[in-house]
Amino acid sequence: MIKQSSTSEAVSDRYETSHVTGEHNIKVAGLDIHNPVFLISGVGVVLFVFFTLLFNEQAAEFFKGLRPMVTSRFDWVFMGAANLFFLIAIGLVFSPYGNIRLGGADTQPRYGYISWVAMLFAAGIGIGIMFYAVLEPMNHFIALSGSAEEAARAAPLGLALGTGDEAQRLAMAATLYHWAFHPWAIYAMVGLALAFFCYNKNLPMVIRSAFYPLLGERVWGWPGHVIDIFAVFATLFGLATSLGYGAEQAGGGLNYVYDAPTGQFSNLVVVIVITVMALISVLRGLDGGIKRLSEINMAMAVILGVFVLLIGPTGDILLDIAKNVWAYLTYLVPLSRWSGREDLGYMHDWTTFYWSWWIAFSPFVGMFIARISLGRTVRQFVIGCILAPSFIFVVWMTVFGSFAFDQYLVDGYQGVVNAVKDWQPELSLFKFLDELPFAKITSTIGIVLVLVFFVTSMDSGSLILDTMTAGGKTKTPVVQRIFWCVFLGLLGIALLLGGGLASLQSLSLTMGLPFCLIIVAMCVSLLMGLHNEWRDTHPK
């Protein structure tokens, strides 16, 4: 651990002169790469793709056994860590550290709040809400309204509540639990650590930089290399999981709406087409690519959401927003416990997987948030990262989930219920929209939203992977981002062939476990850094 200094100058020197920019970077054939991190990560992903494609049946069998092992043995790690990150985030908001500004006292934000939130929203999680907006609330509602035996196995908290209002509230609370405060607290911790040490301590924007208070100069050696390599693989598999969901839903939607061919081959075609579109976005850069697409997609999502709200029982849905927020807060503590739970089906199949997915996704989303958050205070950063997306998800999930309940309970429509019971998750949104006016138009908008979220995920993902493997440099040859974009697509193809979504989920879980421990240590390091910053700028 770093020996603490009593002077501001010593603290500044300890951080700001510690890193020799480009010390491990090599420049050859137009590339600018961080030697150990890029070589090990790049070769590793190439070999993984090659062997998974070559031995896809054996890979599928291997991946199939990973998920139950990780979820049953290490559920307490994921649950406990997610709670810890949330509590630290709350503490930072109310602490004096919240006044620290990223980049210094006079730094102004580059992006306005609307653009900032749009990019947060579209960076990768947008695919998930398109996939789960109708599916998850209805899945939990069906489990809660089943027999006592079925509820004990699969319902949130193991309760059998029938089909009344209480079942609807718990189903929505159990859904929001996975999409609101906890996941965004994970992203906020990683993003804040990166932004603080980069903008306030002049360190490169790589995961290792957040460990300087704990490791000192060793962050520039193999301990730091190992941390960054883990971050690269966690990001790769977290992104691949999201892209797999996007491919499944886009392919299923095209088949359902336009009778396009379906199956594995069609999903692979979708991945290839989107990879090409993502490459075009990569060539246009951050402002011309990700920012513009994010704003367009946010506008389309708002149009679709408002349409569904106005077509449905608008008054009831608006009232349900407040009811669901209250239910979420009411059930937050019981859902956050990991001991004494009888609903292991819900906790393992849903919560543990989600937390591992968010944790695997956190280097990517956290670094992307850090890239666009210069000039925010710590308090603004944490509140913005947690409350703004959480509010969007509460509204979105309520609009679609409550309307789906109404279709089933009031109109007797079985389409969404059958999609859940037959486990055709990629069709749940389109079967829901099929009952509304202009179904073909709204379903087409839904498909486009999935595809564009897919593009922004691959574009921003390749940007972050390139930054990680270039020693934190943000201005690198575009060919490096092209490399990561192409291999993200190939990784998605390899895992879809090697067991489909089950393989994607298993790899996300496996990589999320070690990175969970890395984020815990990162939080300790962040608190040390913020304490030093506050102490040195507010001497007694």
Side-chain angles (χ1 to χ4, degrees):
M1 185 178 293
I2 298 171
K3 182 179 179 180
Q4 300 301 319
S5 171
S6 60
T7 67
S8 175
E9 291 82 3
V11 172
S12 178
D13 289 343
R14 181 171 69 242
Y15 286 96
E16 296 184 5
T17 65
S18 62
H19 179 59
V20 179
T21 302
E23 178 182 354
H24 294 283
N25 279 43
I26 58 175
K27 296 183 180 181
V28 60
L31 303 178
D32 186 356
I33 58 178
H34 192 281
N35 186 4
V37 176
F38 181 88
L39 291 179
I40 294 174
S41 303
V43 171
V45 70
V46 170
L47 291 177
F48 183 89
V49 168
F50 175 78
F51 283 106
T52 303
L53 289 174
L54 189 63
F55 304 105
N56 59 78
E57 292 184 5
Q58 294 89 336
E61 190 65 27
F62 172 73
F63 297 145
K64 183 179 179 181
L66 281 177
R67 177 168 178 166
M69 180 188 71
V70 175
T71 55
S72 61
R73 294 184 182 180
F74 300 102
D75 52 357
W76 62 274
V77 176
F78 291 113
M79 299 286 287
N83 291 338
L84 175 66
F85 303 146
F86 182 40
L87 292 175
I88 293 174
I90 294 174
L92 287 176
V93 169
F94 293 100
S95 76
Y97 305 154
N99 296 319
I100 297 173
R101 187 173 294 276
L102 300 174
D106 299 325
T107 307
Q108 295 300 312
R110 178 180 179 183
Y111 300 105
Y113 275 109
I114 294 178
S115 294
W116 186 54
V117 171
M119 286 191 282
L120 289 180
F121 187 73
I125 207 162
I127 290 175
I129 66 159
M130 296 301 295
F131 195 88
Y132 284 107
V134 175
L135 170 69
E136 188 172 355
M138 185 60 75
N139 179 87
H140 299 333
F141 178 75
I142 292 172
L144 288 162
S145 60
S147 66
E149 182 180 350
E150 293 171 335
R153 184 180 67 254
L157 303 179
L159 300 176
L161 300 176
T163 59
D165 187 68
E166 188 178 356
Q168 296 178 50
R169 298 288 79 81
L170 179 52
M172 291 304 306
T175 299
L176 296 176
Y177 173 60
H178 295 144
W179 292 92
F181 294 161
H182 279 74
W184 289 97
I186 296 169
Y187 297 153
M189 289 299 96
V190 176
L192 180 60
L194 290 169
F196 174 75
F197 287 105
C198 176
Y199 299 137
N200 294 67
K201 300 304 176 184
N202 199 31
L203 297 180
M205 191 173 285
V206 283
I207 299 296
R208 72 174 74 197
S209 293
F211 289 83
Y212 195 91
L214 290 175
L215 297 176
E217 296 299 312
R218 286 176 294 171
V219 296
W220 315 125
W222 275 103
H225 299 337
V226 171
I227 289 170
D228 280 348
I229 290 166
F230 266 111
V232 170
F233 281 106
T235 301
L236 281 167
F237 292 121
L239 275 166
T241 301
S242 186
L243 300 180
Y245 283 124
E248 288 274 347
Q249 189 169 31
L254 288 169
N255 171 259
Y256 189 77
V257 179
Y258 293 103
D259 202 27
T262 189
Q264 195 174 68
F265 177 76
S266 298
N267 292 340
L268 299 182
V269 170
V270 170
V271 173
I272 293 170
V273 171
I274 299 306
T275 302
V276 173
M277 293 174 63
L279 286 172
I280 296 172
S281 181
V282 164
L283 295 173
R284 291 182 59 86
L286 180 62
D287 289 339
I290 300 171
K291 179 175 179 288
R292 184 64 54 82
L293 287 173
S294 298
E295 291 172 345
I296 292 172
N297 231 33
M298 180 66 83
M300 287 196 298
V302 169
I303 291 170
L304 180 61
V306 169
F307 171 79
V308 173
L309 173 63
L310 295 178
I311 291 296
T314 307
D316 291 341
I317 292 174
L318 293 175
L319 186 60
D320 281 346
I321 293 174
K323 289 182 178 179
N324 291 339
V325 169
W326 179 250
Y328 171 47
L329 297 175
T330 300
Y331 287 108
L332 184 59
V333 172
L335 290 169
S336 299
R337 290 188 299 105
W338 63 88
S339 61
R341 296 279 292 266
E342 297 181 359
D343 56 332
L344 295 182
Y346 167 81
M347 190 173 77
H348 289 165
D349 292 345
W350 292 89
T351 305
T352 308
F353 164 68
Y354 269 127
W355 290 175
S356 68
W357 187 17
W358 304 150
I359 287 168
F361 227 53
S362 64
F364 154 54
V365 179
M367 190 173 291
F368 186 78
I369 294 171
R371 284 283 302 271
I372 62 177
S373 299
L374 177 66
R376 309 280 178 200
T377 66
V378 168
R379 183 172 294 110
Q380 289 170 344
F381 182 97
V382 174
I383 291 175
C385 283
I386 294 179
L387 288 189
S390 295
F391 176 74
I392 292 172
F393 285 120
V394 167
V395 174
W396 184 272
M397 295 295 193
T398 298
V399 168
F400 285 81
S402 291
F403 196 175
F405 294 156
D406 189 78
Q407 284 182 339
Y408 175 51
L409 297 173
V410 177
D411 301 334
Y413 176 58
Q414 298 283 329
V416 175
V417 174
N418 291 336
V420 173
K421 288 183 176 179
D422 297 338
W423 200 241
Q424 296 177 307
E426 70 279 4
L427 297 183
S428 57
L429 175 65
F430 303 109
K431 289 198 173 186
F432 165 77
L433 294 174
D434 202 30
E435 282 295 288
L436 308 185
F438 313 110
K440 195 160 190 175
I441 295 174
T442 56
S443 294
T444 300
I445 292 175
I447 294 170
V448 172
L449 281 168
V450 172
L451 295 178
V452 178
F453 278 134
F454 203 152
V455 171
T456 55
S457 295
M458 293 192 71
D459 186 355
S460 50
S462 62
L463 169 68
I464 297 310
L465 287 166
D466 183 34
T467 300
M468 289 181 185
T469 54
K473 293 187 176 181
T474 56
K475 295 182 179 179
T476 57
V478 71
V479 67
Q480 294 172 204
R481 287 177 64 189
I482 291 174
F483 169 84
W484 289 112
C485 188
V486 169
F487 269 90
L488 266 174
L490 290 175
L491 181 63
I493 290 172
L495 290 171
L496 285 172
L497 289 174
L501 283 179
S503 295
L504 294 162
Q505 293 170 345
S506 296
L507 265 295
S508 177
L509 274 165
T510 305
M511 290 308 304
L513 181 60
F515 206 78
C516 178
L517 304 179
I518 289 175
I519 302 177
V520 171
M522 183 184 292
C523 288
V524 174
S525 188
L526 170 64
L527 293 175
M528 292 171 63
L530 290 172
H531 175 73
N532 291 339
E533 177 88 354
W534 180 256
R535 181 194 63 193
D536 296 328
T537 55
H538 293 77
K540 292 182 180 179

